[in-house]
């Protein structure tokens, strides 16, 4: 089993919780339990990777040359504007 | 007012207060005046009681007061009004109630604001202050005076903004724009957070800081907007439209840092409220500070008191989830290990039973073999010969069982326990 690309943290966590609960119940056969275990460890790996993800992107939406919106790194956009504190004062 | 109400029970021809008000002052009434008809001296014993004197119905003071009170109660306007006036004769009684007069150039209106209402006041009323006061006009029966019972009051100036705010709020509320049932839940684990605010303000920095602290991996997209000034509402609406074009935004925070009521005014704009409701994804408002609610706050799916608080609401705490996942993993490993161990035990037990079964089987067979061996031993002809029996064979070596197998003169061999005898038959007796 591999994690589908459209898996979200929320669905992964929910599935993991369900697997653990099922395993705890002792219901599944050994073969099934081993299958669940391998799926469970993959989910653990996936969840941990999402939690420990490197810093996400910090961007700002600006109008590109063609008039369409593009996301550019926030620091680039903001450099030189740092001292405009009075904007909201 | 008198002209608007027809009294149903007075019996007086035009039912208004006018005719009774003229009692005693109508010196020119001639013979119709009650003084001349029956004379006051006839009535000293019952000054409190109503009755009829001539064609006039006589009311008690209380009755008149109650009647006026009823009339005011029924008035469609006086039950819910805003009054603009200047405060005079203000007293804040030790009971907590406030008593004052509202006046303008040509008239005065007595007013009372009870403790339960005035503790919410955001300013200290004082003589000479111009205010907007909301409430209803009623009668204070003991004093026989009508007065304004105030439940809300704002200083004029700010009061005008406040009135506009209240009207817009009532209008949008009636439209269902603030319907609690329409509030969308926030995503539990947003992946990309839209932030509509000034890109250079304190709000955006607070949101970034809190987000990075709680769940560093979340992507943030700032959609710049003016957050104060007359262009701000249109700018915020446009930002929402632009955010709507970005497909992977999960949730939007719209807001700004604290400010005066005027500075926050863009968030009391009708179009901003509508843009919030139009948003494809849930919206958290984060305007100003703890106490002031804006129209945007009412329209938003969730209201946060500050931008930092908004980020706290939107962004889950990664460390708590890391711990949760660790615990799940430990349970997973433990249960599967237990299952494997149980299975191993069972296999061990089966193998033990199998060996046991085979051993039992083998032992049984061994016993049987020994028995058969003994049986074979018993049947061994050599052993029989040992006991004195003999085997007699004909010339071709066949074992003789009957006497008529040979005839006199035949040669036979007799095998004994030890050695053989060659013999010749000399007599045959067939048995």
């Amino acid at each position: 089993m591999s994690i589908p690309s459209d898996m979200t943290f929320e669905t992964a966590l929910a599935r993991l919780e369900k697997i653990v609960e099922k395993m705890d119940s002792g219901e599944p056969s050994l073969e099934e339990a081993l299958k669940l275990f391998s799926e469970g460890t993959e989910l653990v790996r996936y969840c941990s990777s999402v939690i420990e993800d490197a810093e996400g992107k910090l961007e700002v939406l600006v109008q590109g040359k063609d008039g369409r919106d593009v996301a550019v790194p926030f620091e680039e956009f903001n450099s030189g504007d740092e001292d405009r504190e009075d904007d909201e004062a | 007012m008198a002209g608007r109400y027809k009294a149903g029970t007075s019996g007086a021809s035009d039912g208004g207060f006018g005719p009774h008000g003229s009692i005693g002052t109508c010196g020119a009434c001639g013979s119709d005046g009650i003084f001349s008809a029956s004379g006051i001296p006839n009535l000293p014993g019952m000054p409190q009681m109503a009755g009829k004197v001539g064609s006039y119905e006589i009311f008690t003071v209380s009755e008149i007061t109650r009647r006026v009170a009823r009339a005011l109660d029924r008035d469609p306007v006086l039950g819910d009004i805003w009054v603009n006036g200047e405060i005079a004769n203000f007293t804040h009684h030790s009971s907590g109630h406030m008593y004052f007069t509202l006046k303008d150039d040509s008239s005065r209106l007595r007013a009372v604001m009870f403790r339960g209402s005035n503790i919410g006041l955001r300013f200290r009323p004082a003589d000479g202050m111009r205010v907007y006061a909301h409430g209803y006009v009623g009668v204070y029966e003991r004093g026989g005076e009508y007065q304004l019972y105030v439940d809300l009051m704002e200083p004029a100036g700010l009061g005008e903004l406040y009135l506009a705010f209240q009207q817009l709020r009532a209008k949008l509320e009636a439209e269902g724009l603030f319907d609690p049932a329409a509030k969308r839940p926030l995503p539990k684990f947003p992946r990309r957070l839209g932030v509509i605010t000034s890109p250079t303000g304190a709000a955006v920095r607070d949101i970034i800081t809190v987000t990075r602290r709680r769940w560093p991996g979340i992507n943030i997209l700032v959609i710049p907007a003016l957050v104060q000034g007359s262009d701000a509402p249109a700018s915020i609406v446009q930002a929402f439209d632009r955010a709507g074009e970005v497909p992977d935004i999960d949730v939007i925070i719209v807001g700004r840092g604290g400010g005066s009521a005027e500075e926050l005014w863009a968030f009391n704009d009708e179009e901003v409220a509508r843009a919030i409701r139009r948003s494809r994804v849930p919206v958290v408002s984060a305007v100003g500070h703890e106490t002031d609610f804006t129209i945007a706050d009412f329209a938003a799916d969730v209201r946060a008191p500050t931008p930092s608080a908004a980020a706290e609401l939107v962004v889950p705490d990664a460390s708590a989830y890391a711990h949760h996942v660790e615990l799940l993993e430990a349970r997973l490993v433990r249960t599967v290990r237990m299952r494997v161990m149980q299975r191993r035990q069972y296999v061990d037990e089966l193998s033990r039973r199998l060996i046991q079964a085979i051993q039992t089987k083998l032992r049984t067979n061994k016993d049987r073999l020994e028995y058969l061996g003994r049986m074979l031993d018993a049947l061994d002809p050599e052993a029989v010969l040992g006991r004195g029996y003999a085997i007699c064979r004909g010339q071709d070596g066949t074992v003789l069982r009957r006497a008529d197998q040979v005839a006199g003169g035949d040669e036979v061999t007799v095998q004994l326990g030890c050695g053989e005898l060659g013999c010749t038959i000399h007599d045959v007796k067939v048995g």
Side-chain angles (χ1 to χ4, degrees):
Chain A
M1 191 222 119
S2 65
I3 305 284
S5 59
D6 61 345
M7 170 77 81
T8 65
F9 183 83
E10 189 168 5
T11 52
L13 190 66
R15 175 76 185 141
L16 178 59
E17 281 166 342
K18 204 168 174 188
I19 284 176
V20 170
E21 222 155 83
K22 219 167 165 184
M23 297 274 286
D24 267 351
S25 76
E27 249 171 52
S29 67
L30 183 64
E31 194 190 359
E32 203 182 332
L34 288 174
K35 243 187 234 164
L36 287 174
F37 176 73
S38 100
E39 186 186 345
T41 37
E42 284 220 35
L43 290 168
V44 167
R45 209 171 306 140
Y46 170 79
C47 289
S48 305
S49 78
V50 174
I51 290 171
E52 287 149 22
D53 251 357
E55 235 176 52
K57 283 186 280 187
L58 173 55
E59 295 169 311
V60 59
L61 203 61
V62 297
Q63 214 170 44
K65 286 188 186 110
D66 58 355
R68 295 168 64 94
D69 279 338
V70 286
V72 302
F74 186 73
E75 294 77 14
E76 269 173 42
F77 169 85
N78 222 19
S79 58
D81 273 338
E82 285 300 332
D83 49 358
R84 274 175 51 191
E85 289 282 319
D86 54 342
D87 196 53
E88 278 188 18
Chain B
M1 187 179 305
R4 202 184 303 165
Y5 286 97
K6 295 288 176 209
T9 56
S10 76
S13 58
D14 75 358
F17 301 115
H20 301 294
S22 70
I23 291 174
T25 61
C26 185
C29 287
S31 61
D32 283 336
I34 60 168
F35 296 109
S36 58
S38 47
I40 277 180
N42 293 339
L43 298 169
M46 39 185 216
Q48 305 292 323
M49 292 170 62
K52 257 188 174 315
V53 178
S55 59
Y56 286 99
E57 190 166 357
I58 309 296
F59 293 88
T60 64
V61 171
S62 308
E63 278 173 340
I64 292 303
T65 303
R66 274 198 294 275
R67 198 177 185 84
V68 172
R70 263 208 314 279
L72 293 186
D73 283 349
R74 289 199 208 104
D75 187 280
V77 172
L78 294 175
D80 179 11
I81 48 165
W82 281 98
V83 180
N84 179 10
E86 184 187 320
I87 292 178
N89 305 326
F90 180 83
T91 53
H92 197 167
H93 195 267
S94 59
S95 63
H97 307 323
M98 291 174 175
Y99 301 95
F100 51 98
T101 301
L102 290 175
K103 64 173 191 178
D104 61 15
D105 293 342
S106 50
S107 190
R108 304 168 74 85
L109 171 62
R110 290 185 72 104
V112 56
M113 191 171 196
F114 293 125
R115 187 169 162 274
S117 300
N118 70 40
I119 49 174
L121 277 180
R122 302 196 293 178
F123 68 105
R124 294 171 79 84
D127 285 352
M129 191 179 269
R130 284 179 33 81
V131 294
Y132 286 87
H134 176 268
Y136 68 95
V137 175
V139 170
Y140 172 56
E141 291 199 15
R142 288 187 68 83
E145 291 165 330
Y146 77 93
Q147 56 184 359
L148 180 65
Y149 289 84
V150 180
D151 54 13
L152 298 169
M153 191 157 64
E154 288 291 329
L158 184 61
E160 272 132 38
L161 281 177
Y162 185 72
L163 276 184
F165 170 85
Q166 292 291 3
Q167 278 170 0
L168 178 58
R169 181 183 162 185
K171 173 183 158 190
L172 297 182
E173 189 152 31
E175 261 184 52
L177 215 67
F178 309 150
D179 185 359
K183 303 287 185 203
R184 295 163 290 197
L186 300 181
K188 271 180 92 170
F189 302 101
R191 280 166 296 182
R192 197 176 196 191
L193 166 61
V195 181
I196 295 180
T197 188
S198 158
T200 55
V204 74
R205 278 199 306 278
D206 289 349
I207 291 169
I208 292 167
T209 306
V210 172
T211 303
R212 286 291 175 256
R213 188 186 76 226
R214 287 176 70 85
W215 197 301
I218 289 176
N219 300 311
I220 300 173
L221 179 63
V222 178
I223 303 116
L226 295 171
V227 290
Q228 72 185 60
S230 56
D231 294 334
S235 172
I236 294 169
V237 170
Q238 192 201 21
F240 268 104
D241 291 342
R242 294 172 76 192
E245 300 295 314
V246 183
D248 60 348
I249 288 180
D250 298 307
V251 56
I252 290 173
I253 296 176
V254 61
R256 54 159 292 145
S260 67
E262 284 83 359
E263 282 168 343
L264 302 182
W265 210 251
F267 293 90
N268 285 323
D269 184 87
E270 177 172 353
E271 291 312 314
V272 167
R274 294 190 189 283
I276 288 173
R277 289 319 308 168
R278 266 202 312 275
S279 166
R280 180 177 50 79
V281 296
V283 176
V284 178
S285 68
V287 184
H289 26 71
E290 312 280 341
T291 49
D292 289 336
F293 275 66
T294 63
I295 295 291
D297 288 326
F298 291 116
D301 296 285
V302 176
R303 183 236 177 206
T306 63
S308 298
E312 300 265 353
L313 280 173
V314 166
V315 179
D317 181 8
S319 64
Y321 280 97
H323 185 60
H324 182 54
V325 169
E326 266 169 37
L327 289 181
L328 286 174
E329 185 184 20
R331 264 172 77 187
L332 191 67
V333 169
R334 201 180 57 229
T335 51
V336 83
R337 188 172 290 160
M338 215 167 66
R339 291 297 304 270
V340 169
M341 249 161 56
Q342 281 172 352
R343 209 26 80 104
R344 153 81 28 85
Q345 260 177 0
Y346 186 52
V347 169
D348 285 353
E349 189 193 322
L350 283 181
S351 108
R352 201 164 38 79
R353 279 165 58 186
L354 190 66
I355 290 168
Q356 209 172 33
I358 286 287
Q359 279 175 342
T360 310
K361 201 91 184 161
L362 285 175
R363 196 169 307 123
T364 314
N365 284 350
K366 192 176 161 212
D367 291 350
R368 189 169 163 75
L369 205 61
E370 280 171 4
Y371 167 74
L372 287 175
R374 279 196 303 278
M375 289 288 284
L376 277 177
D377 281 352
L379 292 171
D380 186 351
E382 307 257 340
V384 176
L385 295 176
R387 292 205 297 275
Y389 295 85
I391 299 171
C392 185
R393 289 189 175 87
Q395 274 168 312
D396 57 355
T398 58
V399 174
L400 302 178
R401 290 187 173 80
R402 287 179 11 226
D404 60 2
Q405 279 179 285
V406 293
D410 285 356
E411 298 278 325
V412 296
T413 315
V414 175
Q415 189 185 350
L416 301 174
C418 189
E420 282 181 358
L421 302 172
C423 302
T424 306
I425 303 297
H426 61 87
D427 190 15
V428 176
K429 289 185 183 125
V430 179

